[in-house]
Coordinates of all heavy atoms in Angstrom, one line a residue:
M1 N -2.1 -140.2 107.5 CA -3.0 -140.1 108.6 C -2.4 -139.3 109.8 O -1.2 -139.3 109.9 CB -3.5 -141.5 109.1 CG -2.4 -142.1 110.0 SD -2.9 -143.7 110.6 CE -2.9 -144.7 109.2
F2 N -3.2 -138.8 110.7 CA -2.7 -138.1 111.8 C -2.5 -139.1 112.9 O -3.4 -139.9 113.3 CB -3.6 -137.0 112.3 CG -3.7 -135.9 111.3 CD1 -4.8 -135.8 110.4 CD2 -2.8 -134.9 111.3 CE1 -4.8 -134.8 109.5 CE2 -2.8 -133.8 110.4 CZ -3.9 -133.8 109.5
C3 N -1.3 -139.2 113.5 CA -1.0 -140.1 114.6 C -1.9 -139.9 115.8 O -2.0 -138.8 116.3 CB 0.5 -140.0 115.0 SG 0.9 -140.9 116.5
P4 N -2.6 -140.9 116.2 CA -3.5 -140.8 117.4 C -2.7 -140.5 118.7 O -3.2 -140.0 119.6 CB -4.2 -142.1 117.5 CG -3.9 -142.9 116.3 CD -2.6 -142.3 115.7
G5 N -1.4 -140.8 118.7 CA -0.6 -140.6 119.8 C -0.1 -139.2 120.0 O -0.1 -138.6 121.0
C6 N 0.4 -138.6 118.8 CA 1.0 -137.2 118.9 C 0.5 -136.2 117.9 O 0.9 -135.1 118.0 CB 2.5 -137.4 118.8 SG 3.1 -137.7 117.2
G7 N -0.4 -136.6 117.0 CA -1.0 -135.7 116.1 C -0.2 -135.4 114.8 O -0.6 -134.6 114.0
T8 N 1.0 -136.0 114.7 CA 1.8 -135.8 113.6 C 1.3 -136.5 112.3 O 0.7 -137.6 112.4 CB 3.2 -136.4 113.8 OG1 3.8 -135.6 114.9 CG2 4.2 -136.2 112.6
W9 N 1.4 -135.8 111.2 CA 0.9 -136.3 109.9 C 1.9 -137.4 109.4 O 3.1 -137.2 109.4 CB 0.8 -135.2 108.8 CG 0.4 -135.8 107.5 CD1 1.2 -136.0 106.4 CD2 -0.9 -136.3 107.1 NE1 0.6 -136.6 105.4 CE2 -0.7 -136.7 105.8 CE3 -2.1 -136.3 107.7 CZ2 -1.8 -137.3 105.1 CZ3 -3.2 -136.9 107.0 CH2 -3.0 -137.3 105.7
N10 N 1.3 -138.6 109.1 CA 2.2 -139.7 108.5 C 1.6 -140.1 107.2 O 0.3 -140.0 107.0 CB 2.2 -140.9 109.5 CG 3.0 -140.6 110.7 OD1 4.2 -140.9 110.7 ND2 2.4 -140.1 111.7
R11 N 2.4 -140.6 106.3 CA 1.9 -141.2 105.0 C 1.0 -142.3 105.3 O 1.1 -143.1 106.3 CB 3.1 -141.7 104.2 CG 4.0 -140.6 103.8 CD 5.3 -141.2 103.3 NE 5.1 -141.9 102.1 CZ 6.0 -142.2 101.2 NH1 7.2 -141.8 101.4 NH2 5.7 -142.9 100.1
S12 N 0.0 -142.5 104.4 CA -1.0 -143.6 104.6 C -0.4 -145.0 104.6 O -1.0 -145.9 105.2 CB -2.1 -143.5 103.5 OG -1.5 -143.7 102.3
T13 N 0.8 -145.1 104.0 CA 1.4 -146.5 104.0 C 2.3 -146.7 105.3 O 2.8 -147.8 105.5 CB 2.4 -146.6 102.8 OG1 3.2 -145.4 102.7 CG2 1.6 -146.7 101.5
A14 N 2.4 -145.6 106.1 CA 3.3 -145.8 107.3 C 2.8 -146.8 108.3 O 1.5 -146.8 108.5 CB 3.5 -144.4 108.0
V15 N 3.6 -147.6 108.9 CA 3.2 -148.5 109.9 C 3.4 -147.9 111.3 O 2.6 -148.2 112.2 CB 4.1 -149.8 109.7 CG1 3.8 -150.8 110.9 CG2 3.8 -150.5 108.4
S16 N 4.4 -147.1 111.5 CA 4.6 -146.5 112.7 C 4.9 -145.0 112.5 O 5.3 -144.6 111.5 CB 5.8 -147.1 113.5 OG 7.0 -147.0 112.8
C17 N 4.6 -144.2 113.6 CA 4.7 -142.8 113.5 C 6.1 -142.3 113.4 O 7.0 -142.7 114.1 CB 4.0 -142.1 114.7 SG 4.2 -140.3 114.8
L18 N 6.3 -141.4 112.4 CA 7.6 -140.7 112.2 C 8.2 -140.1 113.4 O 9.4 -140.1 113.7 CB 7.5 -139.6 111.2 CG 7.6 -139.9 109.7 CD1 7.3 -138.7 108.9 CD2 9.1 -140.4 109.4
R19 N 7.3 -139.4 114.2 CA 7.7 -138.6 115.3 C 7.8 -139.4 116.6 O 8.9 -139.5 117.3 CB 6.8 -137.4 115.5 CG 7.3 -136.5 116.6 CD 6.3 -135.3 116.8 NE 6.8 -134.5 117.8 CZ 7.3 -133.2 117.6 NH1 7.3 -132.8 116.4 NH2 7.7 -132.5 118.6
C20 N 6.8 -140.1 117.0 CA 6.8 -140.8 118.3 C 6.9 -142.3 118.2 O 7.0 -143.0 119.2 CB 5.5 -140.4 119.1 SG 4.0 -141.3 118.5
R21 N 7.0 -142.8 117.0 CA 7.3 -144.2 116.7 C 6.2 -145.2 117.1 O 6.3 -146.4 117.1 CB 8.6 -144.7 117.4 CG 9.8 -143.8 117.1 CD 10.8 -144.6 116.2 NE 11.6 -143.6 115.6 CZ 11.8 -143.6 114.3 NH1 11.2 -144.4 113.5 NH2 12.6 -142.7 113.7
S22 N 5.0 -144.6 117.6 CA 4.0 -145.6 118.0 C 3.3 -146.2 116.8 O 3.4 -145.6 115.7 CB 2.9 -144.8 118.9 OG 2.2 -144.0 118.1
E23 N 2.8 -147.4 117.0 CA 2.2 -148.1 115.9 C 0.9 -147.4 115.4 O 0.1 -146.9 116.3 CB 1.8 -149.5 116.4 CG 1.7 -150.5 115.3 CD 1.5 -151.9 115.8 OE1 2.3 -152.3 116.7 OE2 0.5 -152.5 115.5
L24 N 0.8 -147.2 114.1 CA -0.4 -146.5 113.6 C -1.6 -147.5 113.4 O -1.3 -148.6 113.0 CB 0.0 -145.8 112.3 CG 1.0 -144.6 112.5 CD1 1.5 -144.2 111.1 CD2 0.4 -143.5 113.2
P25 N -2.8 -147.0 113.6 CA -3.9 -147.9 113.3 C -4.2 -148.2 111.9 O -3.7 -147.5 111.0 CB -5.1 -147.1 113.9 CG -4.7 -145.7 113.9 CD -3.2 -145.7 114.0
E26 N -4.9 -149.2 111.6 CA -5.3 -149.6 110.2 C -6.1 -148.4 109.6 O -6.9 -147.7 110.4 CB -6.3 -150.8 110.2 CG -5.6 -152.1 110.7 CD -4.7 -152.7 109.7 OE1 -4.9 -152.6 108.5 OE2 -3.7 -153.3 110.2
L27 N -6.0 -148.1 108.3 CA -6.8 -147.1 107.7 C -8.2 -147.5 107.8 O -8.5 -148.7 107.7 CB -6.4 -146.9 106.2 CG -5.1 -146.1 106.0 CD1 -4.8 -146.1 104.5 CD2 -5.3 -144.7 106.5
G28 N -9.1 -146.6 107.9 CA -10.6 -147.0 108.0 C -11.2 -146.5 109.3 O -12.2 -146.0 109.3
D29 N -10.4 -146.7 110.4 CA -10.9 -146.2 111.7 C -10.1 -145.1 112.2 O -9.9 -144.9 113.4 CB -11.0 -147.4 112.7 CG -9.8 -148.3 112.7 OD1 -8.7 -147.8 112.4 OD2 -10.0 -149.5 113.0
V30 N -9.7 -144.2 111.3 CA -8.8 -143.1 111.6 C -9.5 -141.8 111.3 O -10.1 -141.6 110.3 CB -7.5 -143.1 110.7 CG1 -6.5 -142.2 111.3 CG2 -7.0 -144.5 110.7
P31 N -9.4 -140.8 112.2 CA -10.0 -139.5 112.0 C -9.2 -138.8 110.9 O -8.0 -138.8 110.9 CB -9.9 -138.8 113.3 CG -8.9 -139.5 114.1 CD -8.8 -140.9 113.6
L32 N -9.9 -138.2 109.9 CA -9.2 -137.5 108.9 C -9.0 -136.0 109.2 O -8.1 -135.4 108.6 CB -10.1 -137.5 107.6 CG -10.1 -139.0 107.0 CD1 -11.1 -139.0 105.8 CD2 -8.8 -139.4 106.5
E33 N -9.7 -135.5 110.2 CA -9.5 -134.1 110.7 C -8.2 -134.0 111.5 O -8.0 -134.9 112.3 CB -10.7 -133.7 111.6 CG -12.0 -133.6 110.9 CD -12.1 -132.5 109.9 OE1 -11.8 -131.4 110.3 OE2 -12.3 -132.8 108.7
P34 N -7.5 -133.0 111.3 CA -6.4 -132.7 112.2 C -6.9 -132.5 113.6 O -7.9 -131.8 113.8 CB -5.7 -131.5 111.6 CG -6.6 -130.9 110.7 CD -7.6 -131.9 110.3
P35 N -6.2 -133.0 114.6 CA -6.6 -132.7 116.0 C -6.3 -131.2 116.3 O -5.5 -130.6 115.7 CB -5.8 -133.6 116.8 CG -4.6 -134.0 116.0 CD -5.0 -133.9 114.6
D36 N -7.1 -130.7 117.3 CA -6.8 -129.3 117.6 C -5.4 -129.1 118.2 O -4.9 -130.0 118.8 CB -7.9 -128.7 118.5 CG -7.9 -129.2 119.9 OD1 -7.1 -128.6 120.7 OD2 -8.5 -130.2 120.2
P37 N -4.9 -127.9 118.0 CA -3.5 -127.6 118.4 C -3.2 -127.8 119.8 O -2.1 -128.3 120.2 CB -3.2 -126.2 118.0 CG -4.4 -125.7 117.3 CD -5.5 -126.7 117.4
E38 N -4.2 -127.6 120.7 CA -3.9 -127.7 122.1 C -3.7 -129.1 122.5 O -2.8 -129.4 123.3 CB -5.2 -127.1 122.8 CG -5.1 -126.9 124.2 CD -6.4 -126.4 124.8 OE1 -6.7 -125.2 124.7 OE2 -7.2 -127.3 125.2
I39 N -4.6 -130.0 122.1 CA -4.4 -131.4 122.4 C -3.1 -132.0 121.8 O -2.4 -132.9 122.3 CB -5.6 -132.3 122.2 CG1 -5.6 -133.6 123.0 CG2 -5.8 -132.6 120.7 CD1 -6.9 -134.3 123.1
T40 N -2.8 -131.5 120.6 CA -1.6 -131.9 119.9 C -0.3 -131.6 120.8 O 0.6 -132.4 120.9 CB -1.5 -131.3 118.5 OG1 -2.6 -131.7 117.7 CG2 -0.2 -131.7 117.8
Q41 N -0.3 -130.4 121.4 CA 0.8 -130.0 122.3 C 0.9 -131.0 123.4 O 2.0 -131.4 123.8 CB 0.5 -128.6 122.8 CG 1.2 -127.5 122.0 CD 1.2 -126.2 122.8 OE1 0.2 -125.8 123.4 NE2 2.4 -125.6 122.8
V42 N -0.2 -131.3 124.0 CA -0.2 -132.2 125.2 C 0.3 -133.6 124.7 O 1.1 -134.3 125.4 CB -1.6 -132.3 125.8 CG1 -1.6 -133.3 127.1 CG2 -2.1 -131.0 126.3
R43 N -0.2 -134.0 123.5 CA 0.3 -135.3 123.0 C 1.8 -135.3 122.8 O 2.4 -136.3 123.1 CB -0.5 -135.7 121.7 CG -1.9 -136.1 122.0 CD -2.7 -136.3 120.8 NE -4.0 -136.9 121.1 CZ -5.1 -136.8 120.4 NH1 -5.1 -136.1 119.2 NH2 -6.2 -137.4 120.8
R44 N 2.3 -134.3 122.2 CA 3.7 -134.2 121.9 C 4.5 -134.2 123.2 O 5.6 -134.9 123.3 CB 4.1 -133.0 121.1 CG 3.6 -133.2 119.7 CD 4.2 -132.1 118.8 NE 3.7 -132.6 117.4 CZ 3.6 -131.7 116.4 NH1 3.8 -130.4 116.6 NH2 3.2 -132.2 115.2
A45 N 4.0 -133.5 124.2 CA 4.8 -133.4 125.5 C 4.8 -134.8 126.2 O 5.7 -135.0 127.0 CB 4.2 -132.3 126.4
T46 N 3.8 -135.6 126.0 CA 3.7 -136.9 126.7 C 3.9 -138.1 125.8 O 3.7 -139.2 126.3 CB 2.3 -137.0 127.4 OG1 1.3 -137.0 126.4 CG2 2.1 -135.8 128.3
A47 N 4.3 -137.9 124.5 CA 4.4 -139.0 123.6 C 5.2 -140.1 124.1 O 6.3 -139.9 124.7 CB 4.9 -138.5 122.2
G48 N 4.8 -141.3 123.9 CA 5.5 -142.5 124.3 C 5.1 -142.9 125.7 O 5.2 -144.1 126.0
R49 N 4.6 -142.0 126.5 CA 4.2 -142.4 127.9 C 2.7 -142.5 128.0 O 2.3 -143.5 128.7 CB 4.7 -141.3 128.9 CG 6.2 -141.4 129.1 CD 6.7 -140.3 130.0 NE 6.7 -139.0 129.2 CZ 6.6 -137.8 129.8 NH1 6.6 -137.7 131.1 NH2 6.6 -136.7 129.0
Y50 N 2.0 -141.6 127.4 CA 0.5 -141.6 127.5 C -0.1 -141.5 126.2 O 0.4 -140.8 125.3 CB 0.0 -140.5 128.5 CG 0.7 -140.5 129.8 CD1 1.6 -139.6 130.2 CD2 0.4 -141.6 130.7 CE1 2.2 -139.6 131.4 CE2 1.0 -141.6 132.0 CZ 1.9 -140.6 132.3 OH 2.5 -140.7 133.5
R51 N -1.3 -142.1 126.0 CA -2.1 -141.8 124.8 C -3.2 -140.9 125.3 O -4.1 -141.3 126.0 CB -2.6 -143.2 124.3 CG -3.3 -143.1 123.0 CD -3.1 -144.4 122.2 NE -3.3 -145.6 123.1 CZ -4.5 -146.2 123.2 NH1 -5.5 -145.8 122.5 NH2 -4.6 -147.3 123.9
V52 N -3.1 -139.6 124.8 CA -4.1 -138.6 125.2 C -5.3 -138.7 124.4 O -5.2 -138.5 123.2 CB -3.5 -137.2 125.2 CG1 -4.4 -136.2 125.7 CG2 -2.1 -137.2 126.0
V53 N -6.4 -139.1 125.0 CA -7.6 -139.4 124.2 C -8.5 -138.2 123.9 O -8.8 -137.9 122.7 CB -8.5 -140.5 124.9 CG1 -9.7 -140.8 124.1 CG2 -7.6 -141.7 125.2
R54 N -8.8 -137.4 124.9 CA -9.7 -136.2 124.6 C -9.6 -135.3 125.8 O -9.2 -135.7 126.9 CB -11.1 -136.7 124.4 CG -11.8 -137.3 125.6 CD -13.2 -137.9 125.2 NE -13.7 -138.6 126.3 CZ -14.4 -138.0 127.3 NH1 -14.7 -136.7 127.2 NH2 -14.9 -138.8 128.3
R55 N -10.1 -134.1 125.6 CA -10.2 -133.1 126.7 C -11.5 -133.4 127.5 O -12.5 -133.6 126.9 CB -10.1 -131.7 126.2 CG -9.8 -130.8 127.3 CD -9.5 -129.4 126.8 NE -10.8 -128.6 126.8 CZ -10.8 -127.3 126.7 NH1 -9.7 -126.6 126.4 NH2 -12.0 -126.7 126.7
L56 N -11.4 -133.4 128.8 CA -12.5 -133.6 129.7 C -13.2 -132.3 130.0 O -14.4 -132.2 130.1 CB -12.1 -134.3 131.0 CG -11.6 -135.7 130.8 CD1 -10.9 -136.1 132.1 CD2 -12.8 -136.6 130.6
G57 N -12.4 -131.3 130.3 CA -13.0 -130.0 130.7 C -11.9 -129.1 131.3 O -10.8 -129.5 131.3
S58 N -12.4 -128.0 131.8 CA -11.4 -127.0 132.4 C -12.0 -126.4 133.7 O -13.2 -126.3 133.8 CB -11.2 -125.9 131.4 OG -10.7 -126.4 130.2
G59 N -11.1 -126.1 134.6 CA -11.4 -125.4 135.8 C -10.7 -124.1 135.9 O -10.1 -123.6 134.9
G60 N -10.7 -123.5 137.1 CA -10.0 -122.2 137.2 C -8.5 -122.3 137.1 O -7.8 -121.3 136.8
M61 N -8.0 -123.5 137.3 CA -6.5 -123.6 137.3 C -5.9 -124.4 136.1 O -4.8 -124.2 135.8 CB -6.0 -124.3 138.6 CG -6.3 -123.4 139.8 SD -5.6 -124.1 141.3 CE -3.9 -123.8 141.0
A62 N -6.7 -125.3 135.6 CA -6.2 -126.2 134.6 C -7.2 -126.8 133.6 O -8.4 -126.8 133.9 CB -5.5 -127.4 135.3
H63 N -6.7 -127.3 132.5 CA -7.5 -128.2 131.6 C -7.2 -129.6 132.0 O -6.1 -130.0 132.4 CB -7.0 -128.1 130.1 CG -7.2 -126.7 129.5 ND1 -8.4 -126.0 129.5 CD2 -6.3 -125.9 129.0 CE1 -8.2 -124.9 128.9 NE2 -6.9 -124.7 128.6
G64 N -8.2 -130.5 131.9 CA -8.1 -131.9 132.2 C -8.2 -132.7 131.0 O -9.1 -132.5 130.2
Y65 N -7.4 -133.7 130.8 CA -7.4 -134.6 129.6 C -7.5 -136.0 130.1 O -6.8 -136.5 131.0 CB -6.1 -134.4 128.8 CG -6.0 -133.1 128.2 CD1 -5.3 -132.0 128.9 CD2 -6.5 -132.8 126.9 CE1 -5.2 -130.8 128.3 CE2 -6.4 -131.5 126.4 CZ -5.7 -130.5 127.1 OH -5.6 -129.3 126.5
Y66 N -8.3 -136.8 129.4 CA -8.4 -138.2 129.6 C -7.3 -138.9 128.8 O -7.2 -138.6 127.6 CB -9.8 -138.7 129.2 CG -10.0 -140.2 129.3 CD1 -9.9 -140.9 130.5 CD2 -10.2 -141.0 128.1 CE1 -10.0 -142.2 130.6 CE2 -10.3 -142.4 128.2 CZ -10.2 -143.0 129.4 OH -10.3 -144.4 129.5
A67 N -6.6 -139.7 129.5 CA -5.4 -140.4 128.8 C -5.3 -141.8 129.3 O -5.9 -142.2 130.3 CB -4.1 -139.6 129.1
L68 N -4.5 -142.6 128.5 CA -4.2 -144.0 128.9 C -2.7 -144.2 129.0 O -2.0 -143.6 128.1 CB -4.8 -145.0 127.8 CG -6.3 -145.0 127.7 CD1 -6.7 -145.7 126.4 CD2 -7.0 -145.6 128.9
H69 N -2.3 -144.8 130.0 CA -0.8 -145.1 130.0 C -0.5 -146.0 128.8 O -1.2 -146.9 128.5 CB -0.5 -145.9 131.3 CG 0.9 -146.1 131.6 ND1 1.6 -147.1 131.0 CD2 1.8 -145.4 132.3 CE1 2.9 -147.0 131.3 NE2 3.0 -146.0 132.2
A70 N 0.6 -145.6 128.1 CA 0.9 -146.2 126.8 C 1.1 -147.7 126.9 O 0.6 -148.4 126.0 CB 2.2 -145.6 126.3
T71 N 1.7 -148.2 127.9 CA 1.9 -149.7 128.0 C 1.0 -150.4 128.9 O 0.5 -151.5 128.6 CB 3.4 -150.0 128.4 OG1 3.7 -149.3 129.6 CG2 4.3 -149.6 127.3
L72 N 0.7 -149.8 130.0 CA -0.2 -150.4 131.0 C -1.7 -150.3 130.6 O -2.6 -151.0 131.1 CB 0.0 -149.9 132.4 CG 1.4 -149.9 133.0 CD1 1.5 -149.2 134.3 CD2 1.8 -151.4 133.1
E73 N -2.0 -149.3 129.7 CA -3.4 -149.0 129.3 C -4.3 -148.5 130.4 O -5.5 -148.5 130.3 CB -4.0 -150.2 128.6 CG -3.2 -150.7 127.4 CD -3.9 -150.5 126.1 OE1 -5.0 -150.9 125.9 OE2 -3.3 -149.8 125.2
R74 N -3.6 -148.2 131.5 CA -4.4 -147.7 132.7 C -4.9 -146.3 132.4 O -4.2 -145.4 132.0 CB -3.5 -147.6 133.9 CG -3.8 -148.6 135.0 CD -2.8 -148.6 136.1 NE -2.7 -147.2 136.6 CZ -2.8 -147.0 137.9 NH1 -2.9 -148.0 138.8 NH2 -2.7 -145.8 138.4
P75 N -6.2 -146.0 132.7 CA -6.8 -144.7 132.5 C -6.3 -143.7 133.5 O -6.0 -144.1 134.7 CB -8.3 -144.9 132.6 CG -8.4 -146.1 133.4 CD -7.2 -147.0 133.2
L76 N -6.1 -142.5 133.1 CA -5.7 -141.4 134.1 C -6.1 -140.1 133.5 O -6.6 -139.9 132.4 CB -4.2 -141.4 134.2 CG -3.3 -141.1 133.0 CD1 -2.3 -140.1 133.3 CD2 -2.7 -142.4 132.5
V77 N -6.1 -139.1 134.4 CA -6.3 -137.7 134.0 C -5.0 -136.9 134.0 O -4.3 -137.0 135.0 CB -7.4 -137.1 134.9 CG1 -7.6 -135.6 134.5 CG2 -8.7 -137.8 134.7
I78 N -4.8 -136.2 132.9 CA -3.6 -135.3 132.9 C -4.1 -133.9 133.1 O -5.0 -133.5 132.3 CB -2.8 -135.4 131.6 CG1 -2.2 -136.8 131.5 CG2 -1.7 -134.3 131.5 CD1 -1.5 -137.1 130.1
K79 N -3.6 -133.1 134.0 CA -4.0 -131.7 134.2 C -2.9 -130.8 133.7 O -1.8 -131.1 134.1 CB -4.4 -131.5 135.7 CG -5.7 -132.0 136.1 CD -6.0 -131.7 137.6 CE -6.2 -130.3 137.8 NZ -6.7 -130.0 139.2
V80 N -3.3 -129.9 132.9 CA -2.3 -128.9 132.4 C -2.7 -127.5 132.9 O -3.7 -127.0 132.6 CB -2.3 -128.9 130.8 CG1 -1.2 -127.9 130.3 CG2 -2.0 -130.3 130.3
L81 N -1.8 -127.0 133.7 CA -2.0 -125.6 134.3 C -2.2 -124.6 133.2 O -1.6 -124.6 132.2 CB -0.8 -125.2 135.1 CG -0.7 -125.6 136.6 CD1 0.6 -125.0 137.2 CD2 -1.9 -125.0 137.4
H82 N -3.2 -123.7 133.5 CA -3.3 -122.5 132.5 C -2.0 -121.8 132.5 O -1.3 -121.7 133.5 CB -4.4 -121.6 133.0 CG -5.8 -122.3 133.0 ND1 -6.2 -123.1 132.0 CD2 -6.8 -122.2 133.9 CE1 -7.5 -123.5 132.3 NE2 -7.8 -123.0 133.5
Q83 N -1.7 -121.3 131.3 CA -0.4 -120.7 131.0 C 0.0 -119.6 132.0 O 1.1 -119.6 132.5 CB -0.4 -120.2 129.6 CG 1.1 -120.0 129.1 CD 1.1 -120.1 127.5 OE1 0.1 -119.7 126.9 NE2 2.2 -120.5 127.0
H84 N -1.0 -118.7 132.3 CA -0.6 -117.6 133.2 C -0.3 -118.1 134.6 O 0.2 -117.3 135.4 CB -1.8 -116.6 133.2 CG -3.1 -117.0 133.8 ND1 -3.9 -117.9 133.1 CD2 -3.6 -116.7 135.0 CE1 -5.0 -118.1 133.9 NE2 -4.8 -117.4 135.0
L85 N -0.7 -119.3 135.0 CA -0.4 -119.8 136.3 C 0.9 -120.7 136.3 O 1.4 -121.1 137.4 CB -1.6 -120.7 136.8 CG -2.9 -119.9 136.9 CD1 -4.0 -120.9 137.3 CD2 -2.8 -118.8 138.0
A86 N 1.4 -121.0 135.1 CA 2.4 -122.0 135.0 C 3.8 -121.4 135.0 O 4.8 -121.9 134.4 CB 2.3 -122.8 133.7
K87 N 4.0 -120.3 135.7 CA 5.3 -119.7 135.9 C 5.5 -119.2 137.3 O 4.5 -118.8 137.9 CB 5.6 -118.6 134.8 CG 4.5 -117.6 134.7 CD 4.8 -116.7 133.5 CE 3.6 -115.8 133.2 NZ 3.6 -115.1 132.0
D88 N 6.7 -119.2 137.7 CA 7.0 -118.7 139.1 C 6.8 -117.2 139.2 O 7.0 -116.5 138.2 CB 8.5 -119.0 139.5 CG 8.7 -120.5 139.6 OD1 7.7 -121.2 140.0 OD2 9.8 -121.0 139.4
H89 N 6.6 -116.7 140.4 CA 6.6 -115.3 140.6 C 8.0 -114.7 140.3 O 9.0 -115.4 140.7 CB 6.1 -114.9 142.0 CG 4.7 -115.1 142.2 ND1 3.7 -114.3 141.7 CD2 4.0 -116.1 142.9 CE1 2.5 -114.7 142.0 NE2 2.7 -115.8 142.7
P90 N 8.1 -113.5 139.7 CA 9.4 -113.0 139.4 C 10.1 -112.6 140.7 O 9.5 -112.4 141.8 CB 9.1 -111.7 138.6 CG 7.7 -111.4 138.7 CD 7.0 -112.7 139.2
Ligands
ADP1 N1 -10.5 -137.4 137.8 C1 -11.2 -136.8 136.9 N2 -12.2 -137.4 136.2 C2 -12.9 -136.8 135.2 N3 -12.7 -135.5 134.8 C3 -11.8 -134.8 135.5 C4 -11.0 -135.4 136.5 N4 -10.1 -134.5 136.9 C5 -10.3 -133.4 136.2 N5 -11.3 -133.6 135.3 C6 -11.8 -132.6 134.4 O1 -10.9 -131.5 134.2 C7 -11.4 -130.3 134.6 C8 -10.3 -129.5 135.3 O2 -9.9 -130.3 136.4 P1 -10.0 -129.7 137.9 O3 -9.4 -130.6 138.8 O4 -11.5 -129.3 138.2 O5 -9.1 -128.4 137.7 P2 -9.1 -127.0 138.5 O6 -8.0 -127.1 139.5 O7 -8.9 -126.0 137.4 O8 -10.5 -126.8 139.1 C9 -12.6 -130.7 135.5 O9 -13.6 -129.6 135.5 C10 -13.1 -131.9 134.8 O10 -13.9 -131.6 133.7
MG2 MG1 -12.3 -127.7 139.3
ZN3 ZN1 3.0 -140.0 116.7

C-alpha cells in the first residue's frame, strides 16, 4: 500500500512505513492509486511532523495543502511557494 503519510510503497503485510515509520492503516480503507508526485514531495518534506491530506488550491504565489499535525491532530494549511519564486535574487 502507499503510505498515507509520505506516499512510499509498502508491502501489504507492513505495519509501519519503511520510509517515515508512521503506522499504516488496515487494508480495506486504503487508496490503491499512487498519490500524485507533487503531494508526495510535500509529504516527504514534512513526514513525521504533518499528515498532508489534500491540496486545497493555488494562488499567484503558492499551492495550499490541508494537513494535520502528526501528534496533535490539529488542522493547518501548508503553503508551498511556486518554484520560480522560491529562490533568492542572484
Ligand atoms: N486557511 C486556508 N483555508 C483554506 N484554504 C486555504 C487557506 N490558505 C490557503 N488556502 C488555499 O490555498 C490557495 C493558495 O493560498 P493563498 O494564500 O491564496 O496563496 P497565494 O499567496 O498564492 O494567493 C488558496 O487559493 C486556497 O485555495
Ligand atoms: Mg490567494
Ligand atoms: Zn511513510
Side-chain angles (χ1 to χ4, degrees):
M1 80 177 72
F2 292 98
C3 170
C6 74
T8 298
W9 175 258
N10 286 272
R11 298 167 62 161
S12 59
T13 51
V15 174
S16 60
C17 174
L18 270 176
R19 185 182 181 111
C20 75
R21 309 251 159 233
S22 71
E23 202 174 306
L24 295 167
E26 297 285 328
L27 282 174
D29 43 31
V30 193
L32 293 171
E33 294 292 303
D36 73 87
E38 192 182 275
I39 200 165
T40 297
Q41 267 197 311
V42 181
R43 283 173 173 158
R44 287 194 173 152
T46 61
R49 285 172 289 158
Y50 305 109
R51 190 144 48 89
V52 183
V53 180
R54 64 187 176 87
R55 197 170 91 168
L56 291 164
S58 304
M61 296 189 69
H63 298 304
Y65 295 87
Y66 175 64
L68 297 166
H69 188 279
T71 52
L72 303 175
E73 304 250 303
R74 246 172 63 126
L76 62 129
V77 173
I78 296 174
K79 283 179 68 171
V80 180
L81 271 180
H82 296 319
Q83 202 156 28
H84 66 285
L85 300 173
K87 48 189 170 192
D88 292 330
H89 285 290

